[in-house]
Amino acid sequence: MHTREEKIEAFGRLVDVLDRLRAECPWDKKQTNESLRPNTIEETFELADALLKNDKENICEELGDVLMHMIFYSKIGEEKEDFDIADVCNREADKLIFRHPHIYGDSTAETSDDVLKNWEQIKLKENGGKKRVLSGVPDSLPSLIKAYRVQDKARNVGFDWADRKDVWKKVHEELNELEAELEREDKDRSTRELGDFLFSVINAARLYKLNPDNALEYTNQKFIRRFNYIEEHSIRVGKPLTEMSLEEMDKLWEEAKSKE
């Protein structure tokens, strides 16, 4: 591993590279916050994918791509005389110090849950105490992650189930309500009840300290892997999927499952 001096030098080298590209490269010169945003979102998802797969080589590469974007936005801010990379780093360091009084101050936090509760309470005191509990959850977050985050933030101020086992009553209640609306064939009400049911399942996952987004992605990948096995077989024997019976596909599905 590198020394502190080597890390600082490497960061400075990347800043220098971005400075030169911004000054000399036709593509880099014309980029704006708006034009970079879609690329940043894509790079973030690529990092998330590498993290989920625990692909260490790709994690390192994708972290670099995300870091490059952070420096790029800072460079654009510097050109507008709004802020530069030093302002970004110092503001984040100041915020971390302020929100970790159990490290930099005289308060205590024995567990990670204590840290999270302190974190949320400290954030509420910022901006003159006018900050709302759920205001830090971005509107553009994917709905599944947003549901988890709003539930978690509410928990940190005491709005949560006293006994996590009780959440299953809510899950079953919401499922029954969904089934009732589906029986009535009311699409609008069924959609709302489906949302309530999913929200309750995500709540249950949170209470049992499971990450529902990761869990769903593992299942996505498992489905893709098994379905690809079926498709590869169909190609190998020269029989299109559309001509295969459900029984044939189920058998191949079980074969793929047994190989995992």
Side-chain angles (χ1 to χ4, degrees), residues 223-241:
F223 184 92
I224 291 168
R225 190 166 57 247
R226 293 177 184 176
F227 191 84
N228 283 345
Y229 181 88
I230 298 172
E231 190 170 26
E232 286 163 7
H233 175 84
S234 75
I235 294 170
R236 190 164 58 250
V237 300
K239 187 175 184 179
L241 287 172

Side-chain angles (χ1 to χ4, degrees), residues 69-88:
H69 277 248
M70 300 308 101
I71 297 173
F72 208 142
Y73 288 117
S74 300
K75 180 63 180 175
I76 294 172
E78 180 180 350
E79 292 167 356
K80 295 178 179 179
E81 297 186 351
D82 293 333
F83 58 85
D84 61 18
I85 190 64
D87 294 314
V88 172

Side-chain angles (χ1 to χ4, degrees), residues 68-176:
M68 181 273 288
H69 277 248
M70 300 308 101
I71 297 173
F72 208 142
Y73 288 117
S74 300
K75 180 63 180 175
I76 294 172
E78 180 180 350
E79 292 167 356
K80 295 178 179 179
E81 297 186 351
D82 293 333
F83 58 85
D84 61 18
I85 190 64
D87 294 314
V88 172
C89 292
N90 283 325
R91 181 172 295 188
E92 185 63 21
D94 289 342
K95 183 166 64 176
L96 289 171
I97 291 169
F98 179 72
R99 293 183 181 177
H100 288 79
H102 56 290
I103 303 297
Y104 294 96
D106 54 8
S107 67
T108 59
E110 300 296 332
T111 68
S112 60
D113 281 346
D114 291 339
V115 173
L116 289 174
K117 288 177 182 177
N118 288 346
W119 181 281
E120 292 300 333
Q121 290 167 5
I122 290 168
K123 286 200 289 185
L124 289 176
K125 294 176 183 177
E126 295 173 351
N127 298 325
K130 296 179 180 179
K131 198 167 187 178
R132 297 296 184 93
V133 173
L134 303 181
S135 62
V137 180
D139 291 337
S140 57
L141 267 183
S143 297
L144 192 153
I145 299 173
K146 186 190 294 185
Y148 187 95
R149 291 295 294 133
V150 298
Q151 292 168 4
D152 200 43
K153 282 182 171 290
R155 173 190 72 90
N156 287 325
V157 293
F159 188 75
D160 205 3
W161 296 85
D163 186 341
R164 68 180 183 178
K165 292 180 182 177
D166 292 339
V167 74
W168 295 113
K169 297 175 185 176
K170 186 64 175 175
V171 172
H172 292 302
E173 175 190 323
E174 296 296 352
L175 179 57
N176 290 335

Side-chain angles (χ1 to χ4, degrees), residues 28-45:
D28 290 277
K29 285 167 71 173
K30 73 174 187 178
Q31 297 311 306
T32 64
N33 286 338
E34 292 74 20
S35 67
L36 276 178
R37 182 177 177 273
N39 302 63
T40 307
I41 294 170
E42 182 179 346
E43 295 296 353
T44 303
F45 276 104

